[in-house]
């Protein structure tokens, strides 16, 4: 049960005023600290940090009234001691010398403290044109590649990508064992890449890949790739995702997803999903979803079931059932559990792509369901069945999962709120980002991001509950939660909305000057409405934050990918902007942000009531 809100807010306010970020290493000091000497908090970067850029965001705090120099360069500090600097770095090791000085005051002499912060700017290694040489550590493939059904692969499926760095301006080639060499192209200078074709009937056992470079000086040098190639035709096998692997049917966890061979997200499996594995690349199995369509899945997340191909799914008429709140569509696939993707293609449309061909054609259900406007079945490519649904009303949650006789698709319908009490009866999950061992962004004023997100979420919850909403907080204290635990809470409570509350910060290599304001991230179109409503409220009620970059659709984030309800992530402001940071650290600023988020949610549901 959630403790009383005022006590929590008081505790958080104390943390906000005085907590130091536990995960930030303490820079070494060249002089002993004394009670009257000014301290230097370096919130970022940590001691020993390495980066590949010519500047670093240097941020932290000195005592109010103190001045700061870094390696002799004056760095502006605010009245509260805050400093955020875009500081230049030379190549290699930078021992930044930070000196904070407080002026003399009546009864107290001037004081200073010095700290040394080591930051290393890494510089890519480039080889000279002569003598001709190869950077052996750069050669790929770095992991073994296996082909188990090369005859069934397309020519692209039998290609092995090869890449290395060597002396620029040369001629490069690669070969597998004693097979003929194949040329590689250069670009950018000194980087050579291409593909090796494995013949469909070749039998190879840990065959070495060798790259060769002939340079401008006429010398030729060769080196082996770390990853060998094995080709054993006729050894394809069937694997399945075992029970208990997938945390929830609507979470879409990146830890279990399948990717394209190039690494792009492709498919989120369910427990029991079955695949035909036709090869291996390092720790991943290469599975054939359909002719010419391959994907990679982590081998340790599957179990083998033998060499027999998986059973073909059944078929026949689809069946529909519905209530005022949802529509369910059942595909009669019998016991087969083929892989599928489910994507929202428009405000009212969904596409289910089934990587299988049923033994009998799937046929549309009987017409007449009040929720369904249209259903189209097609076969866009061999081995792929596509189902496009158009709903009468906007989609407000969807997921699909295997059952004993096929695949069940569930689509939630939008609520019809009471215009006078739009939040009455709504269930909302609020997620204060980070927590416990996860500090989040650096605390340049002494408070890490986790302790800024929590009071905002607590106040937002109080405001929503006062308007009739049932609010679930993923955490109400400084506790550690996994990313997918947060989405599971929303799924398990049948929430109407999942909102994760964060504060933003720029990564290495980005100049912080001028980047400020709110951003709202979402993956699926069903979350656009609440995302826009919250963004509008933040911009209207907190113009001092700045307009920000606004909506960020198509995000690939753990808290925006869940589909069981509209899911979004609010970046309230930038910790790397002095004005945003001060607002986020102030009790009044936190209250205003909470009010804006709550007002945005209320406005969204009021809009649904007025449809």
């Amino acid at each position: 049960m959630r403790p009383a809100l005022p006590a929590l807010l008081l505790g958080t306010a104390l943390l906000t005023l005085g907590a130091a970020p536990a995960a930030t290493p303490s820079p070494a000091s060249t002089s002993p600290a004394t009670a009257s000497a000014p301290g230097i908090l370096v919130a970022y970067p940590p001691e020993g940090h390495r980066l590949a850029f010519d500047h670093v965001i240097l941020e932290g705090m000195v005592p109010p009234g103190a001045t700061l120099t870094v390696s002799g360069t004056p760095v502006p500090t605010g009245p509260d001691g805050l400093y955020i600097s875009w500081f230049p770095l030379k190549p290699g090791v930078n021992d930044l010398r930070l000196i904070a000085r407080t002026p003399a005051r009546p009864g107290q002499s001037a004081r200073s403290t010095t700290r040394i912060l080591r930051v290393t700017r890494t510089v890519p290694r480039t080889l000279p044109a002569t003598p001709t040489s190869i950077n052996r550590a750069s050669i790929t493939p770095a992991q073994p590649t296996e082909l188990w059904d090369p005859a069934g692969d397309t020519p692209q499926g039998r290609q092995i990508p090869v890449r290395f760095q060597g002396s620029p301006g040369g001629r490069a080639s690669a070969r597998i064992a004693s097979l003929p060499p194949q040329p590689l192209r250069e670009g950018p200078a000194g980087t050579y890449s291409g593909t090796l074709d494995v013949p469909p009937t070749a039998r190879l056992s840990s065959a070495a890949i060798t790259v060769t470079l002939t340079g401008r000086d006429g010398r030729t040098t060769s080196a082996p790739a770390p990853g060998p190639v094995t080709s054993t035709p006729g050894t394809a096998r069937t694997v399945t995702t075992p029970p208990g692997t997938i945390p929830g049917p609507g979470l879409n966890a990146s830890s279990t997803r399948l990717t394209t061979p190039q690494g792009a997200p492709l498919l989120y499996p369910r427990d029991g999903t079955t695949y035909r594995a036709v090869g291996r690349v390092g720790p991943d199995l290469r599975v054939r979803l359909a002719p010419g369509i391959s994907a990679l899945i982590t081998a340790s997340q599957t179990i083998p079931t033998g060499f027999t191909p998986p059973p073909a799914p059944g078929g026949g008429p689809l069946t529909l059932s519905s209530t005022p709140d949802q529509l369910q569509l059942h595909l009669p696939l019998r016991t087969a559990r083929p892989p599928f993707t489910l994507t929202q293609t428009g405000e009212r449309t969904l596409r289910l792509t089934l990587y299988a061909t049923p033994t009998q054609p799937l046929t549309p259900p009987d017409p007449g369901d009040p929720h369904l406007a249209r259903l189209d079945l097609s076969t866009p490519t061999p081995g792929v069945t596509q189902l496009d649904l158009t709903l009468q009303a906007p989609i407000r949650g969807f997921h699909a999962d295997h059952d004993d006789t096929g695949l069940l698709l569930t689509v939630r319908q939008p609520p019809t709120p009471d215009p006078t009490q739009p939040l009455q009866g709504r269930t909302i999950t609020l997620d204060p980002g980070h927590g416990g061992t996860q500090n989040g962004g650096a605390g340049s004023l002494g408070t890490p991001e986790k302790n800024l997100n929590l009071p905002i979420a607590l106040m937002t919850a109080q405001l929503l509950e006062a308007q009739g909403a049932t609010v679930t907080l993923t955490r109400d204290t400084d506790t550690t939660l996994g990313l997918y635990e947060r989405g599971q809470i929303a799924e398990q409570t049948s929430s109407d909305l999942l909102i994760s509350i964060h504060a933003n910060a720029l990564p290495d290599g980005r100049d912080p000057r001028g980047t400020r304001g709110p951003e709202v991230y979402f993956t699926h179109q069903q979350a656009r409405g609440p995302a826009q409503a919250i963004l509008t409220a933040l911009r209207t009620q907190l113009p001092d934050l700045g307009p920000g970059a606004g909506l960020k659709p198509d995000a690939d984030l753990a808290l925006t990918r869940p589909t069981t309800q509209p899911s979004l992530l609010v970046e309230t402001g930038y910790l790397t902007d002095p004005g945003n940071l001060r607002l986020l650290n102030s009790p009044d600023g936190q209250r205003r942000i909470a009010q804006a988020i709550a007002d945005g949610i209320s406005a969204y549901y009021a809009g649904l009531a007025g449809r």
Side-chain angles (χ1 to χ4, degrees):
M1 182 174 177
R2 183 150 54 88
L5 186 61
L8 276 170
L9 291 176
L10 176 61
T12 304
L14 294 174
L15 285 169
T16 302
L17 292 173
T24 302
S26 298
S29 176
T30 58
S31 60
T34 66
S36 58
I40 302 174
L41 168 66
V42 178
Y44 193 85
E47 171 64 30
H49 188 55
R50 300 172 66 87
L51 69 164
F53 303 99
D54 59 5
H55 283 70
V56 67
I57 300 175
L58 179 64
E59 55 182 323
M61 184 172 61
V62 295
T67 62
L68 177 67
T69 61
V70 179
S71 298
T73 300
V75 171
T77 59
D80 50 5
L82 174 67
Y83 66 88
I84 299 178
S85 174
W86 181 236
F87 200 81
L89 299 173
K90 66 182 182 182
V93 174
N94 292 257
D95 285 325
L96 304 182
R97 187 179 183 86
L98 287 75
I99 303 177
R101 296 182 176 89
T102 54
R105 297 190 178 100
Q108 180 178 311
S109 60
R111 300 280 181 173
S112 70
T113 296
T114 300
R115 300 177 84 99
I116 303 298
L117 177 70
R118 174 161 289 187
V119 181
T120 300
R121 175 186 167 191
T122 60
V123 179
R125 179 188 174 194
T126 57
L127 296 176
T130 58
T132 299
S133 60
I134 291 174
N135 179 358
R136 291 176 174 248
S138 70
I139 305 173
T140 61
Q143 301 182 97
T145 300
E146 298 180 29
L147 291 84
W148 299 334
D149 183 25
D153 286 328
T154 62
Q156 293 77 17
R158 296 193 302 272
Q159 290 179 337
I160 312 295
V162 178
R163 184 182 180 92
F164 74 90
Q165 293 173 345
S167 298
R171 289 180 293 106
S173 64
R175 71 176 189 274
I176 301 173
S178 59
L179 295 176
Q182 299 179 40
L184 305 179
R185 63 186 178 276
E186 183 180 11
T191 298
Y192 300 89
S193 61
T195 57
L196 291 173
D197 300 318
V198 178
T201 58
R203 289 190 172 272
L204 305 168
S205 178
S206 297
I209 292 177
T210 303
V211 298
T212 299
L213 178 64
T214 301
R216 295 177 184 175
D217 56 6
R219 292 182 55 193
T220 297
T221 184
S222 298
V229 179
T230 295
S231 178
T232 52
T235 59
R237 57 213 66 178
T238 297
V239 298
T240 187
T241 300
T245 302
I246 307 304
L251 290 185
N252 300 319
S254 64
S255 59
T256 56
R257 70 184 172 196
L258 281 70
T259 69
T260 66
Q262 294 74 35
L266 178 61
L267 185 151
Y268 297 93
R270 303 292 185 264
D271 286 349
T273 302
T274 304
Y275 324 87
R276 190 64 170 163
V278 295
R280 184 165 184 145
V281 181
D284 298 326
L285 296 179
R286 182 167 63 89
V287 298
R288 185 179 298 141
L289 302 179
I293 304 176
S294 293
L296 298 180
I297 183 172
T298 303
S300 61
Q301 294 175 350
T302 68
I303 54 174
T305 61
F307 292 92
T308 303
L318 282 64
T319 54
L320 271 174
S321 61
S322 64
T323 67
D325 299 327
Q326 68 178 25
L327 173 146
Q328 289 191 316
L329 178 69
H330 189 263
L331 283 69
L333 306 180
R334 299 179 188 159
T335 58
R337 295 194 167 193
F340 66 89
T341 61
L342 181 62
T343 56
Q344 185 177 7
T345 53
E347 184 184 37
R348 302 167 188 257
T349 56
L350 285 175
R351 172 169 291 170
L352 175 69
T353 301
L354 188 70
Y355 292 100
T357 301
T359 56
Q360 302 175 36
L362 294 173
T363 57
D366 294 334
D369 188 281
H371 294 316
L372 186 63
R374 179 170 177 168
L375 188 152
D376 296 303
L377 286 161
S378 62
T379 304
T381 61
V384 177
T385 302
Q386 191 167 283
L387 188 153
D388 288 288
L389 290 89
T390 302
L391 283 297
Q392 296 284 6
I395 296 163
R396 290 298 179 267
F398 60 94
H399 68 273
D401 203 357
H402 305 289
D403 63 16
D404 291 339
T405 59
L407 184 66
L408 183 65
L409 168 62
T410 301
V411 185
R412 297 173 69 179
Q413 299 295 287
T416 305
D418 181 343
T420 63
Q421 293 181 299
L423 293 183
Q424 187 69 42
R426 304 279 67 79
T427 300
I428 298 168
T429 294
L430 296 180
D431 170 48
H434 308 290
T437 60
Q438 307 161 3
N439 273 356
S444 298
L445 283 174
T447 304
E449 181 196 346
K450 64 176 183 176
N451 291 336
L452 304 176
N453 301 331
L454 182 58
I456 292 171
L458 292 171
M459 286 186 278
T460 303
Q462 186 181 54
L463 292 166
L464 296 174
E465 288 171 342
Q467 298 179 68
T470 299
V471 179
T472 301
L473 286 158
T474 60
R475 67 179 182 97
D476 54 19
T477 59
D478 186 21
T479 55
T480 303
L481 279 178
L483 279 177
Y484 304 119
E485 289 179 75
R486 302 165 192 261
Q488 277 182 298
I489 290 170
E491 192 169 282
Q492 291 165 358
T493 55
S494 300
S495 289
D496 297 298
L497 194 59
L498 166 62
I499 299 175
S500 188
I501 297 173
H502 288 251
N504 219 335
L506 287 171
D508 285 333
R510 293 279 305 277
D511 185 343
R513 294 170 293 187
T515 301
R516 59 199 304 266
E519 297 172 0
V520 186
Y521 293 75
F522 62 96
T523 304
H524 311 286
Q525 193 164 335
Q526 63 180 355
R528 179 178 286 274
Q532 181 63 68
I534 292 170
L535 176 66
T536 298
L538 286 167
R539 284 175 164 174
T540 301
Q541 298 180 31
L542 290 103
D544 40 340
L545 274 176
L551 296 183
K552 296 285 189 174
D554 304 317
D556 185 20
L557 302 172
L559 273 301
T560 64
R561 284 193 302 269
T563 62
T564 309
Q565 68 289 309
S567 305
L568 55 95
L569 185 147
V570 180
E571 295 280 12
T572 52
Y574 271 87
L575 301 175
T576 44
D577 175 78
N580 280 192
L581 177 64
R582 291 186 176 104
L583 190 150
L584 285 162
N585 273 268
S586 73
D588 182 64
Q590 294 169 3
R591 178 193 60 76
R592 292 170 61 204
I593 291 171
Q595 185 71 60
I597 294 173
D599 288 351
I601 296 170
S602 180
Y604 165 67
Y605 282 109
L608 293 183
R611 287 200 315 266

